[in-house]
Amino acid sequence: ETGVTQSPTHLIKTRGQQVTLRCSSQSGHNTVSWYQQALGQGPQFIFQYYREEENGRGNFPPRFSGLQFPNYSSELNVNALELDDSALYLCASSFRGPMNTEAFFGQGTRLTVV
Amino acid sequence: DAKTTQPNSMESNEEEPVHLPCNHSTISGTDYIHWYRQLPSQGPEYVIHGLTSNVNNRMASLAIAEDRKSSTLILHRATLRDAAVYYCIRRIGNQGGKLIFGQGTELSVKP
């Protein structure tokens, strides 16, 4: 149990729709990152939020967007869903400070686009 | 961002040590080396990390080559619960902790 919770756990959407995934960070953490994991692949970095601002982005199009709230929880929004967006979406929280610390991952949201 | 390189799969016997290798020849001086493992239907779990020196914790040891182009995760006594996909990861030092995952090594443990 990492203290990072994601909702929903599973989701089925139709191509072209929009989806919002949610993440509650571990208490005391100020940074949240989102990753996409396709079947049989390692997670791919989407973006990171620190103090409610985007702080680094991977190779994902603008239809992937996010928010971080004052309580450090976060949302991942994906517009105009494509079949290739089907994947496990992982949220990771960490504390950004002078020490290099580990990230704590949630269980993920399994998104299926049909 | 260049990814790390790991064998696709490895096999071990229960109670024996396991050495999981990783190549990261393009790593920069500020990147940390992290290892995470992932069980089926779960998110990745932190195992260990280091920068230049070898590291030990209750789960494993991490041996880092002097030139930092490779590292080895050592599980001292494999158990059945250690069966998982192990990821060797570059943590980008100057980008707030972005993790660059490779393909991972699927470790199976035989009783």
Side-chain angles (χ1 to χ4, degrees):
Chain A
E1 193 68 39
T2 64
V4 179
T5 57
Q6 293 187 242
S7 62
T9 54
H10 295 83
L11 199 54
I12 300 175
K13 288 286 190 177
T14 303
R15 189 171 49 182
Q17 286 187 313
Q18 178 266 342
V19 69
T20 298
L21 309 182
R22 294 179 175 82
C23 172
S24 290
S25 302
Q26 186 172 71
S27 177
H29 285 179
N30 56 15
T31 301
V32 64
S33 303
W34 286 91
Y35 293 82
Q36 180 195 66
Q37 186 174 25
L39 206 59
Q41 305 292 316
Q44 302 298 306
F45 176 75
I46 302 175
F47 44 54
Q48 182 181 87
Y49 278 81
Y50 171 63
R51 291 186 175 177
E52 303 176 53
E53 291 192 2
E54 189 179 292
N55 179 51
R57 188 178 185 92
N59 189 26
F60 282 82
R63 60 189 184 84
F64 285 78
S65 63
L67 284 172
Q68 186 184 30
F69 299 101
N71 65 356
Y72 301 123
S73 65
S74 178
E75 286 183 355
L76 165 65
N77 298 291
V78 187
N79 294 322
L81 284 166
E82 301 177 359
L83 297 179
D84 284 348
D85 295 333
S86 295
L88 180 69
Y89 288 85
L90 295 160
C91 163
S93 82
S94 59
F95 180 78
R96 184 175 179 179
M99 300 297 292
N100 191 278
T101 59
E102 68 265 35
F104 292 83
F105 283 82
Q107 299 276 67
T109 293
R110 173 73 61 188
L111 173 65
T112 303
V113 182
V114 297
Chain B
D1 293 311
K3 297 180 179 179
T4 59
T5 305
Q6 301 174 251
N8 289 332
S9 62
M10 291 185 66
E11 203 171 73
S12 172
N13 293 317
E14 197 175 12
E15 303 291 314
E16 290 185 356
V18 182
H19 290 233
L20 297 167
C22 178
N23 287 316
H24 30 78
S25 57
T26 61
I27 196 169
S28 77
T30 57
D31 293 350
Y32 279 75
I33 300 153
H34 282 236
W35 284 81
Y36 282 68
R37 69 182 185 182
Q38 187 174 25
L39 298 169
S41 302
Q42 293 190 22
E45 173 192 29
Y46 170 80
V47 177
I48 200 167
H49 77 275
L51 183 61
T52 55
S53 305
N54 294 345
V55 185
N56 299 295
N57 66 20
R58 64 176 179 79
M59 289 182 71
S61 295
L62 176 60
I64 302 172
E66 200 169 323
D67 62 8
R68 293 201 350 115
K69 293 185 176 182
S70 65
S71 62
T72 301
L73 177 71
I74 302 163
L75 306 179
H76 296 287
R77 291 179 65 193
T79 70
L80 297 179
R81 290 179 300 174
D82 290 325
V85 177
Y86 285 79
Y87 291 101
C88 170
I89 296 162
R90 289 175 57 208
R91 180 165 177 160
I92 306 300
N94 62 352
Q95 296 183 24
K98 168 181 171 181
L99 300 175
I100 306 299
F101 285 76
Q103 291 287 88
T105 296
E106 184 170 10
L107 175 67
S108 57
V109 180
K110 296 188 295 183

